[in-house]
Amino acid sequence: MFVEKLRIPISEIFLGENFLVYLFESPQIAHSKIIRACIADFLEGRLSCKSPATVHWSKSDSADYVAIAVGSMPIGIDIEYMRERPFEKISRRFFSPSEITSDKERFYQIWTEKEASIKRDKLTIAKNLAKTPRGTIISLRNIPSDLKGAVAL
């Protein structure tokens, strides 16, 4: 398995039929190498001579964490380290009126869902944060308690 070759801490935090999500804590190698290793792991056993492989990937980093999502369809991921911020002020500036909040957990949940969706659609963040995420949004579970995260399919 590639994890042993890279000798870095890794955990698969969500497995889907057509996608994988990995979370790394304090990786000691370049993110580009991690991405290539995740793509190789995703493709293992999926390659066929009859049809080309389609691979989409997305990366997010926050504090000492890096998350990689790899799939056979467009995919976006966002993780955020939950630090104190003026949540109501930020949400008033970037979110729709019904999403304005001063609650830290809710703020980061909304933010990560929106950013994952924006990354999947390859849009700019500043101009699209007020929009409601579309498609399938999956909240990441079993991650460190100081992180929030989401995957958009």
Side-chain angles (χ1 to χ4, degrees):
M1 177 116 184
F2 79 96
V3 177
E4 294 157 4
K5 293 177 189 168
L6 295 177
R7 298 192 196 302
I8 55 177
I10 183 175
S11 60
E12 294 177 344
I13 56 175
F14 195 90
L15 298 173
E17 185 176 321
N18 295 314
F19 68 98
L20 296 172
V21 175
Y22 301 93
L23 180 66
F24 299 80
E25 185 174 1
S26 303
Q28 301 299 312
I29 63 171
H31 292 184
S32 60
K33 289 183 179 181
I34 294 171
I35 292 165
R36 285 194 301 269
C38 290
I39 291 170
D41 187 57
F42 174 75
L43 289 173
E44 189 174 315
R46 297 174 196 253
L47 293 178
S48 166
C49 293
K50 296 180 182 181
S51 61
T54 301
V55 178
H56 299 267
W57 62 272
S58 181
K59 175 187 84 92
S60 181
D61 53 63
S62 187
D64 288 335
Y65 299 96
V66 176
I68 309 291
V70 183
S72 58
M73 76 293 278
I75 194 166
I77 190 167
D78 186 47
I79 57 168
E80 296 291 334
Y81 179 80
M82 294 192 298
R83 61 186 171 104
E84 291 300 324
R85 294 179 169 194
F87 301 115
E88 187 171 345
K89 181 179 178 181
I90 295 169
S91 62
R92 282 189 187 284
R93 180 174 177 196
F94 292 109
F95 294 175
S96 67
S98 65
E99 297 169 324
I100 294 171
T101 184
S102 60
D103 180 73
K104 178 165 68 170
E105 294 272 333
R106 176 143 168 74
F107 173 85
Y108 281 110
Q109 189 61 50
I110 293 169
W111 186 280
T112 58
E113 289 174 0
K114 287 176 174 283
E115 190 168 332
S117 178
I118 290 166
K119 286 179 175 182
R120 178 205 54 221
D121 297 339
K122 299 185 183 341
L123 301 172
T124 59
I125 291 175
K127 294 181 180 179
N128 292 284
L129 278 171
K131 296 178 182 175
T132 302
R134 60 174 193 78
T136 302
I137 307 294
I138 301 168
S139 295
L140 298 179
R141 306 219 185 276
N142 302 319
I143 60 176
S145 61
D146 54 356
L147 287 180
K148 277 285 185 201
V151 173
L153 303 173

